[in-house]
Amino acid sequence: MNRLSTEKRAQIIGCLVEGMSIRATVRITGASKNTISKLLGDLGKACSEYQDKVMRDLSCKRLQFDEIWSFVYSKQKNVPEDHEGEFGYGDVWTWTCIDAETKLVPSWLVGERTTEDACEFVSDVASRVSDRVQLTTDGYKPYLVAVESAFGGGIDYAMLHKIYGNDQTEAQKRYSPAICTGIEKRVIEGAPDQDHVSTSYVERQNLTMRMGMRRFTRLTNAFSKKVENLTAAVSLHFMYYNFARPHQSLSNPYKRTPAMAAGVADHIWTLSEIANLLD
């Protein structure tokens, strides 16, 4: 039975994590589409299992949450009648969390923008931190229920609500975000430091996701056809982001990845090491 070498797998991984589509990866590496898809699925699962194991007892101090939109199979308006309301068809949301100090992404969830998924996501984050944290989210109301359920009173929590102007033309609304005209900070629990009530890092992380995963690009035909593929791509992306890609803000006194800054890794991982998670 044919088996990809570690070097070949590393080459494919390098293409995928730098934002190439599967078809572009086929052209660059010469591997077949089915081979790349299978590698992505298997490796995505391995990356998820590894990160789930090591992202424990984290000493995070300031966390930021957000949700990022994508779609699977088709845009929501084009979902066939026999799949309406079925998860994995149309809108899919990825919940993300980032540590403002180490830039580590300790948890994420590919799901729906519902209270149930908010509770599942926040509960998972709470199980990974060892100390009291300060948390900032946007004004999405399900966070209120989810944070109370997961943390109780043991958290310093604030919501940040951004106010946007509505004077854009239709073309501007389609291709660029609205202009932020102001913010409102609302303390929900505890005594959060007002200077650190922000969602800037997690929103910047959204851009990193869109740049690093072709299937998150807006106005594209590179979207995921199956939600399992999207989940695998997200898992591989965060394995690379957390363990193998030195973060520019962590380069003093030496280059570090978020995992190194958070104390869950002692070196910068190579693509071959990520590939070897399959073994």
Side-chain angles (χ1 to χ4, degrees), residues 124-142:
D124 183 70
V125 175
S127 71
R128 298 181 186 279
V129 297
S130 58
D131 303 313
R132 187 184 182 97
V133 299
Q134 174 166 328
L135 170 64
T136 307
T137 71
D138 58 23
Y140 190 45
K141 290 184 179 180

Side-chain angles (χ1 to χ4, degrees), residues 218-272:
R218 296 181 181 273
L219 302 177
T220 181
N221 62 356
F223 56 89
S224 297
K225 311 310 183 286
K226 297 180 180 179
V227 72
E228 293 83 4
N229 294 343
L230 177 65
T231 302
V234 171
S235 178
L236 174 59
H237 168 81
F238 283 125
M239 186 72 211
Y240 176 67
Y241 168 84
N242 283 327
F243 288 85
R245 178 178 172 177
H247 200 285
Q248 187 172 0
S249 69
L250 304 174
S251 60
N252 188 13
Y254 55 89
K255 288 184 177 181
R256 294 182 296 166
T257 62
M260 292 171 66
V264 296
D266 58 7
H267 67 285
I268 299 172
W269 280 46
T270 65
L271 296 179
S272 295

